[in-house]
Amino acid sequence: MTTRLNSLVLLLAALLPFVSPASAETWPDRPVKIIVPFGAGGSGDTLARVVADHLSTVFKQQFVVENRTGAGGMIGTQAIAAAAPDGYTIGITNLSTLALVPVINPAATYHPVNDFSHIAYVAGAPVALAATPAANIKTLKEFIDTAKTSAKPLTYASSGVGSDGHLMGVAISLATGAPLEHVPYRSTSQALTDVVAGHVALCTFTLSSTAQFLRAGQLVGVAVTSPDRMPDQPDLPTFKELGYPQLVGTTWFALSGPVKFPEDVAEKLNREVAIAVALPEVQARLRRDGFIAQPMSRADFTKFVGDEAARWKPLVEKAGLAGKG
């Protein structure tokens, strides 16, 4: 009996490699988890739910968003990297969690490229340099002149030390020679409230965060880091057109999984994310919120992540933040 049982176990073990591809063809046959390393209601969470709704409809299976916050997105991102590579756990990654956190926070145990299967670029929002109306700054030239002649550095608000807004402020200061003093906030909403009220002169948040304040005249747009003017903000010039091509970039969000994620599943997801962000109703929402959709192949997106990590590391070091997290 024991001999027959052992023979059966060996036979099943030999057949397993041939069973796996068939199971991949039926994916997903149970709910798929999308880990979001950020709080509910933010840009990453909103984009995750747009993607989850589309994937749930297409694959006729639940894609469940799970917010797992903490340590500037590091906790959720580490959970994505540590997940079983079975196709049933994916997550939202972004500029901050992949390019900034690993340099700033020595507790981050993941490599931005080697520890993930990068699946699809979802969308990115450029950073807008905006001023309180009380600062009487309406153009980039006025910003530079005011900053250079002010008795004290102009203040600018961001969502925290080491955030993309913080580092973009550093980049703007270095590129233009305008002295700036960083004022970090824990809450984007509180920071914007203080800038609108005139307690802080400037802010460097994504256009998706500031668009409604710009439309209402509560903030004055100075320049934006998109490569071209945004369709819904046609009067807001880009840094590039004003002579600063190095100040082009977006706070991007993407879909990633653990390393060794099933290749055929990743390709299916890449195709469907591209379809989702091209839908007219999604395009209208992205435009309204200041996002740019830029579908990429998986190979191109993986290269993009590596390039972004290399691009931002020197800036983190110049800001004195490397290993400070």
Side-chain angles (χ1 to χ4, degrees):
M1 181 68 176
T2 301
T3 302
R4 291 177 62 189
L5 183 59
N6 287 342
S7 298
L8 181 60
V9 169
L10 289 172
L11 178 61
L12 288 172
L15 289 173
L16 277 176
F18 300 99
V19 173
S20 295
S23 64
E25 290 174 9
T26 61
W27 175 94
D29 59 10
R30 64 178 189 272
V32 178
K33 182 191 299 180
I34 302 180
I35 295 174
V36 178
F38 318 105
S43 297
D45 180 71
T46 298
L47 291 173
R49 293 178 192 278
V50 168
V51 169
D53 287 347
H54 176 77
L55 296 178
S56 296
T57 300
V58 169
F59 293 112
K60 297 178 173 57
Q61 186 60 262
Q62 278 190 307
F63 282 71
V64 182
V65 173
E66 178 184 302
N67 298 93
R68 200 176 299 186
T69 62
M74 182 185 74
I75 291 174
T77 305
Q78 289 188 162
I80 297 167
D86 57 7
Y88 289 90
T89 300
I90 53 182
I92 294 294
T93 51
N94 80 334
L95 166 67
S96 179
T97 58
L98 292 181
L100 306 184
V101 169
V103 183
I104 295 169
N105 194 337
T109 59
Y110 57 84
H111 186 278
V113 174
N114 298 341
D115 292 329
F116 297 90
S117 292
H118 292 304
I119 296 169
Y121 184 104
V122 180
V127 172
L129 175 64
T132 175
N136 198 30
I137 294 172
K138 296 182 177 64
T139 67
L140 187 62
K141 183 179 186 307
E142 289 177 353
F143 157 72
I144 295 171
D145 290 345
T146 301
K148 288 183 175 180
T149 58
S150 177
K152 296 187 298 184
L154 291 179
T155 54
Y156 76 99
S158 86
S159 56
V161 174
S163 67
D164 46 358
H166 175 196
L167 290 168
M168 189 55 75
V170 173
I172 291 169
S173 179
L174 289 171
T176 63
L180 293 175
E181 180 182 337
H182 180 226
V183 182
Y185 282 80
R186 291 182 179 272
S187 162
T188 298
S189 59
Q190 182 56 53
L192 287 169
T193 297
D194 278 5
V195 179
V196 168
H199 302 311
V200 183
L202 302 147
C203 60
T204 47
F205 290 108
T206 60
L207 188 57
S208 56
S209 297
T210 55
Q212 60 178 318
F213 296 94
L214 295 172
R215 284 193 290 265
Q218 294 174 294
L219 290 175
V220 178
V222 177
V224 66
T225 65
S226 52
D228 302 296
R229 293 199 184 201
M230 298 294 287
D232 282 15
Q233 296 284 345
D235 296 329
L236 182 59
T238 67
F239 282 100
K240 180 181 177 180
E241 73 184 76
L242 295 173
Y244 298 92
Q246 68 271 48
L247 296 177
V248 172
T250 61
T251 297
W252 46 267
F253 294 86
L255 201 64
S256 302
V259 71
K260 297 184 180 179
F261 192 87
E263 290 285 329
D264 52 352
V265 173
E267 289 298 332
K268 286 182 181 179
L269 288 168
N270 181 277
R271 288 193 296 270
E272 288 303 328
V273 168
I275 291 170
V277 298
L279 294 171
E281 63 272 22
V282 174
Q283 278 286 310
R285 183 173 182 177
L286 292 175
R287 281 184 52 178
R288 182 198 68 201
D289 292 342
F291 282 105
I292 304 168
Q294 186 182 345
M296 303 182 193
S297 69
R298 292 183 55 233
D300 286 346
F301 176 53
T302 301
K303 180 180 183 301
F304 173 81
V305 172
D307 290 345
E308 284 287 271
R311 173 190 179 188
W312 286 87
K313 183 178 179 181
L315 195 59
V316 172
E317 292 171 344
K318 285 181 182 178
L321 297 173
K324 301 292 186 181

